[in-house]
Each structure stands twice: as C-alpha cells, then as structure tokens.
Amino acid sequence: MSHQSDLIAEDILAYLKEHENKELLRFLTCGSVDDGKSTLIGRLLHDSKMIYEDQLASIQSDSAKMGTTGEKLDLALLVDGLAAEREQGITIDVAYRYFSTNKRKFIIADTPGHEQYTRNMATGASTCDLAIILVDAREGVKTQTKRHSYIASLLGIRHVVVAVNKMDLINFDEAKYEAIKADYLEFAKELNIKDIQFVPMSALDGDNVVNRSEKSPWYDGKTLMEILETVEIADDQNFDDFRMPVQMVCRPNLDFRGFQGTIASGIINVGDEITVLPSGKSSKIKEIVTYDGNLDQAFAPMAVTLTFEDEIDCSRGDVIVKSDNLPQSAEKIDAHIVWMAEDALTPGKEYIIKHNTNSTTGRVSTLRHRVDVNTLEHKHAAQLALNEIGLCELTLSKPISFDDYQKNKGTGAFIIIDRLTNITVGAGMIHVSEKVESIDLDALTPVTQEEREARFGQTGSVILLSDEQANLASALERLLFNQGRAVAVIDEDSCGSDAAHNAAVAAQFAKAGLIAICALEAGFDKELIDSAFEGTSIVDVTAKGSPEETLKALLNSL
C-alpha cells in the first residue's frame, strides 16, 4: 500500500519511478504481551491514511463483535488475522504489512510477545533495520521487554525505539516516563545497541504516533512516524568488506561465462583483484553486468553478474571476495543458536548447515552455555530446547568462509536443517572472538568463583568415591562429560597412590570451577578430607542400591 499522491492521477509512470527510488526501512514491533504492538501498527496505518475504506469498514464491524477496546475502533484486528489471535487478543504468528509515506517505504513485522513464540520473534527480526519495543507505562520494563531487547541486539539490530505506550492511562505522567527510560537504559548497557530513542505515546488514541499530542507538552522529541522517516540506516550496511556468494554460473553461449549473485556487503569495481573461496584462485573483474547494462561499480545489496579476466574455477556455493580483504575460513566455528524445533538440539547429532548458497553437514561439538534471555545469565545446559538460545561450537564436514555476524550479517548467518525431515530447526549467528591488541595489567582483576560458575555452568566440586565405588569413576565421567560438564577423574592411574597429593589436586580442580572425581583404592580418611577439602563442595555418594541407581541419584543431585 502506498501513500496518497497527486502524481497517481497526473503521471502514473513518474509516481512509480518516485516510489521505486525511495529508501526502504524494515522494522518490527515487539515487547511483552498486551503492550499494544498490533494496535500501534493499526494506528500507524490509520493515521497515515494507509487503510482502504473496505478494510476500515470491516474493522469497525469486527470491533463490535470481538474487539477489546470498548466502543473505540480496535485497530489491532488489522494485523491479528488468525482466528486464534482474535479470540485471545494476542499475536501468535508474524504478520507483515507494507506501506509508504512521501519519504520512505516500510515493511512492518508484527511479532508475538509470548515467550513460547520466541522463534517467531527471532524470524521477524532477522531482516529488520529497527525495532520498536513497546513498554506498558503502567508496568514499566518487564522480563519480556528484556528478552526481546536481547534478541534484537543478538540479531544485529542497531536502532531501537522504546515506545512507552498507554501513557493515557497514567495521565501522561512525565516522572513515570523518565523512570522507565532510566530503567531501560541501565539494562541496555549490557547490550550491543548503538541507537536508542524513546517516545511517550498512546497507540489507542494516536498520541505521538503520527501526530504530536497536546497531552505531553513536556515532550519535545520526535513522533514515532518522524523517527521512522528520518532514522539513518544507510551507514548500517557494511561497505568495507566485499563478499558475494555465488548463486549461479551464467553460460548462455561459448563467449560468455559470468557468476551471478547478490552482493552481501562491500563495493566492487571493474579491475579489482578478487579471490574465489574456498579454492583461493585469483583474477580481476572484467565486467559488472546488469539487466540495465554494464557498470563500473556495484555495491551491496545489488544483484549482479561478474566476469573475470582469467578462466578460474568458480561455482555455486563459492564466495567472491577482494584479494586484500579475506574472510576467515574454518571447519570449527562458534555461534549463537536460536533453536526452533520441538525436538531439542543434541550435541553430536548431524545436521545440514546452510550458509549463504553453500550447504554442508555438521554437528554441535560443544554446547558452551545456554543464555537465560530474561536475566542474560550464562547457564550450563546439556541441550537446547524449543525457543532457547545458546553459544555452541560447531564442527563442519568442510571449511566455510565467514565473518562475525555483528560485523557482517551476510556471511555471519546460517540455518540448521534436519537431515531427515528437511525442516529448518535452528538459526545461527557466528561469533568470532576479538584479537588481543593490547593488555592493561592494572585493569585485570582476579577471577571470582561466581565468574567460574558462570563460565562452566556448574559449581566446582569434588565427588569422593568409596573403595567399592571406584569402578564407577569412568562411567560417571562419561555421563557428566556427555552433559557438557568440565570433569576429570583423579585416581592412581592419573596421579599416583599418594592420597594427600590426590586430594590436593582434586581441591585445586574444584577451586578452578571443575568437577573432580576422586577414586582411590586405599580410600581417604576423615582427617585428610577435613584438611584438604576445607571450603570445597563435596558431593555425597551414598549407595542407592545398584550401580545404575547410584549413578542416577548422583547425576540428579548435581
């Protein structure tokens, strides 16, 4: 849907040309349940005159039957199209709406607020430039507000508008608005969001959405629509690192061989020296071919055909880069994974990894930690369940060429596909650890026990096995290792038969945040335990019947 313009009647071709050249802004609305996300989108479309008369009549009719706003027009029904959404007054699936003003074109993604629909929210956010995070002025910053802010940050969204909604219900109290603003900014210090703006508004009544409200004379900032029309997104694109995944080789005749694809990032010029990965073969750009003719220069996100001066091997799945600016290549990568399937992500299971136009197989070799998106804490986990997010190490069957996701979305993202069902079960954002440029010794503080527990997702402890249980050490180590625990066995084979020495080693393991399984045929006397393990967590291993029952009880106690 487009904005009203006299050109539509006067010169339709001029209007279409004007519309074609407008900048496109993709944004999403998110936040806690009942914060007014769908109502806000309806208000944006209504006040900017983007709703057709028949749509408006239908909403007026439906508002009387199933609306939640009393006698007022329930604009949320414009985007809540599913029967279940209208019955419950909530958003379940991602709804997209398209509109434009005389300054910009927009694609809106209305995403769910419920925790169980986190995967839907992540899907909607993956292509957006800006996020509108709604906060109920009566409730303030809630857990779900933090959850969606973290996901927006993780997915590389650089612009966030915190819309403090339902201000009409608190009589546009400036003090409450400022308190919510301060609370959010304190939380946002932990996030990688560069641009945060705040708007006090009422989506239901339209205050400060499209038109400025007289109810908030103390607010001198922009309305929400003014922010959407003016926010600078051109600099968000990475023009420094040229990357073009090859989608297809174009060979219409014997005299032409070109490589087609959409430029993921960067700028390319005729004559630039390029390298094709993973082969490493180099050449120079001969032509940049498009439907409208050849160009001297192309940049992201243009779709082009490149020809080379030399005949080198290049095919679908390869990546064309500039020779003086190469991405990383490896078969082991770290990535944040958003899990989207009912069946949990299990380390060791083989999946298809689709990275740009390249597909390979791989598995999660290590689940480093699960992120509690409500508190941002790192927690130990043996697997990732539906809607959970974790930092994982993946081992691939062949190397891929990649960049850090925060630096380059185009080459830093991938999806995980189940090999049997061919269903997309996860989305990954590659994380590359920063290189150490300098070290400030004065700024380094001792590692705390809390930090160790956060890193390993466990409490450092010692498991003392009796003489009769010594044969369970290897099995226990395997079970804990399969859970992703940092664990080691201290026994006569690894450390000798000196009980005091082994006790000291085990105590140091525990202080370092690891789990030490102590098995010594000669056993440990009480005096030695009291002296060696003072201040150390000792796990009681009381026989629970059969060896299997003992191990089960022990695992459940850790």
Side-chain angles (χ1 to χ4, degrees):
M1 186 184 297
S2 190
H3 70 286
Q4 301 294 325
S5 173
D6 293 337
L7 278 177
I8 294 178
E10 297 172 2
D11 189 342
I12 187 65
L13 293 179
Y15 168 77
L16 291 175
K17 190 68 177 178
E18 177 190 83
H19 187 69
E20 178 185 353
N21 292 329
K22 287 179 191 172
E23 187 176 43
L24 173 65
L25 175 71
R26 298 173 182 266
F27 69 93
L28 79 154
T29 58
C30 53
S32 191
V33 180
D34 294 330
D35 280 350
K37 298 179 290 297
S38 299
T39 302
L40 172 61
I41 293 178
R43 176 57 63 184
L44 277 171
L45 298 177
H46 180 272
D47 287 8
S48 55
K49 306 187 186 307
M50 294 292 105
I51 303 178
Y52 295 121
E53 290 183 5
D54 58 336
Q55 285 181 308
L56 190 59
S58 176
I59 295 171
Q60 288 171 338
S61 174
D62 290 343
S63 294
K65 292 185 293 183
M66 59 187 68
T68 59
T69 58
E71 297 181 358
K72 295 182 180 179
L73 189 66
D74 190 355
L75 294 171
L77 297 177
L78 185 67
V79 284
D80 286 344
L82 298 176
E85 293 178 321
R86 293 191 169 201
E87 289 169 1
Q88 301 177 61
I90 63 171
T91 300
I92 295 175
D93 200 1
V94 182
Y96 293 95
R97 289 294 180 271
Y98 310 84
F99 75 101
S100 74
T101 65
N102 59 349
K103 295 182 179 179
R104 260 188 181 150
K105 295 183 290 186
F106 302 93
I107 298 178
I108 317 171
D110 182 25
T111 62
H114 283 68
E115 181 176 346
Q116 62 264 41
Y117 302 125
T118 297
R119 59 179 173 179
N120 303 52
M121 184 267 167
T123 300
S126 62
T127 58
C128 288
D129 307 301
L130 178 145
I132 299 175
I133 298 179
L134 278 90
V135 176
D136 189 324
R138 301 167 300 171
E139 305 289 340
V141 176
K142 298 170 67 176
T143 298
Q144 198 71 335
T145 311
K146 297 178 180 180
R147 167 186 287 267
H148 286 174
S149 298
Y150 169 73
I151 295 174
S153 170
L154 182 66
L155 290 169
I157 295 178
R158 301 185 183 188
H159 307 279
V160 165
V161 179
V162 181
V164 184
N165 193 26
K166 304 185 181 180
M167 287 290 293
D168 54 309
L169 300 182
I170 61 169
N171 298 317
F172 281 84
D173 188 326
E174 181 181 5
K176 282 193 175 183
Y177 167 76
E178 291 296 337
I180 292 172
K181 183 176 177 181
D183 191 14
Y184 187 89
L185 288 174
E186 181 63 28
F187 163 75
K189 289 179 181 178
E190 304 178 53
L191 304 178
N192 182 31
I193 301 176
K194 297 183 177 180
D195 176 28
I196 302 176
Q197 300 186 62
F198 296 83
V199 181
M201 66 181 204
S202 169
L204 183 62
D205 296 330
D207 297 291
N208 291 330
V209 178
V210 174
N211 303 310
R212 186 169 298 280
S213 174
E214 296 179 356
K215 299 175 185 177
S216 55
W218 44 266
Y219 175 69
D220 58 1
K222 298 178 180 178
T223 65
L224 180 61
M225 181 62 85
E226 288 172 342
I227 293 175
L228 295 178
E229 287 185 328
T230 60
V231 64
E232 290 290 340
I233 60 171
D235 292 338
D236 296 347
Q237 187 70 251
N238 182 341
F239 292 113
D240 298 324
D241 309 304
F242 176 73
R243 311 282 189 260
M244 194 186 92
V246 178
Q247 295 177 352
M248 189 171 73
V249 178
C250 180
R251 184 76 165 161
N253 54 57
L254 296 176
D255 300 322
F256 186 89
R257 184 165 176 257
F259 308 97
Q260 299 178 323
T262 299
I263 300 175
S265 63
I267 301 171
I268 192 70
N269 300 279
V270 172
D272 284 348
E273 186 171 339
I274 55 89
T275 297
V276 176
L277 298 175
S279 68
K281 300 294 184 181
S282 297
S283 182
K284 290 186 177 181
I285 297 296
K286 181 180 179 182
E287 294 175 305
I288 301 174
V289 182
T290 71
Y291 177 81
D292 296 318
N294 290 7
L295 303 175
D296 293 327
Q297 183 185 82
F299 49 86
M302 295 173 63
V304 297
T305 301
L306 303 180
T307 65
F308 303 156
E309 292 186 357
D310 306 294
E311 290 290 337
I312 61 174
D313 182 36
C314 183
S315 58
R316 176 178 170 83
D318 291 346
V319 182
I320 302 172
V321 303
K322 286 187 178 180
S323 299
D324 60 354
N325 184 348
L326 303 180
Q328 297 193 41
S329 293
E331 58 186 15
K332 278 196 173 185
I333 58 173
D334 281 353
H336 286 97
I337 292 177
V338 180
W339 196 245
M340 301 178 173
E342 298 287 346
D343 294 333
L345 167 63
T346 305
K349 181 178 177 180
E350 289 282 337
Y351 296 96
I352 296 172
I353 308 298
K354 192 172 190 312
H355 178 249
N356 289 317
T357 56
N358 185 20
S359 292
T360 184
T361 57
R363 57 185 173 83
V364 171
S365 48
T366 304
L367 177 48
R368 300 196 185 281
H369 60 251
R370 177 179 66 83
V371 180
D372 185 334
V373 293
N374 301 326
T375 63
L376 303 187
E377 289 183 277
H378 295 172
K379 296 187 175 181
H380 163 76
Q383 56 186 18
L384 286 183
L386 173 66
N387 292 321
E388 290 186 339
I389 300 172
L391 179 63
C392 305
E393 179 190 71
L394 285 85
T395 300
L396 310 177
S397 59
K398 64 179 182 181
I400 62 170
S401 301
F402 61 89
D403 296 291
D404 185 274
Y405 180 83
Q406 295 295 334
K407 178 183 178 183
N408 196 332
K409 287 186 179 182
T411 52
F414 61 89
I415 60 173
I416 304 173
I417 302 171
D418 187 275
R419 298 176 67 188
L420 297 178
T421 64
N422 208 36
I423 293 174
T424 300
V425 292
M429 288 73 70
I430 297 174
H431 172 72
V432 178
S433 299
E434 296 183 3
K435 294 182 179 179
V436 177
E437 301 292 343
S438 62
I439 297 175
D440 182 1
L441 292 176
D442 295 331
L444 299 178
T445 58
V447 178
T448 66
Q449 199 64 30
E450 291 75 18
E451 288 176 312
R452 290 191 177 96
E453 291 179 8
R455 169 64 58 84
F456 295 113
Q458 63 187 29
T459 300
S461 55
V462 174
I463 301 174
L464 286 178
L465 299 180
S466 65
D467 295 350
E468 297 79 14
Q469 297 169 327
N471 61 332
L472 298 179
S474 178
L476 179 58
E477 181 185 27
R478 166 53 65 185
L479 290 169
L480 291 171
F481 183 81
N482 287 349
Q483 287 189 349
R485 306 292 185 101
V487 58
V489 172
I490 308 298
D491 57 14
E492 291 187 357
D493 292 336
S494 60
C495 295
S497 59
D498 186 337
H501 171 72
N502 290 352
V505 172
Q508 282 302 117
F509 269 49
K511 290 177 182 177
L514 311 179
I515 296 175
I517 302 173
C518 262
L520 197 62
E521 292 180 7
F524 298 88
D525 57 46
K526 185 177 186 305
E527 183 180 346
L528 177 60
I529 292 175
D530 291 341
S531 61
F533 300 124
E534 183 180 0
T536 301
S537 175
I538 300 178
V539 179
D540 178 30
V541 185
T542 305
K544 303 292 183 182
S546 67
E548 291 81 4
E549 290 173 334
T550 300
L551 288 175
K552 187 189 299 183
L554 177 61
L555 291 174
N556 290 333
S557 69
L558 288 173

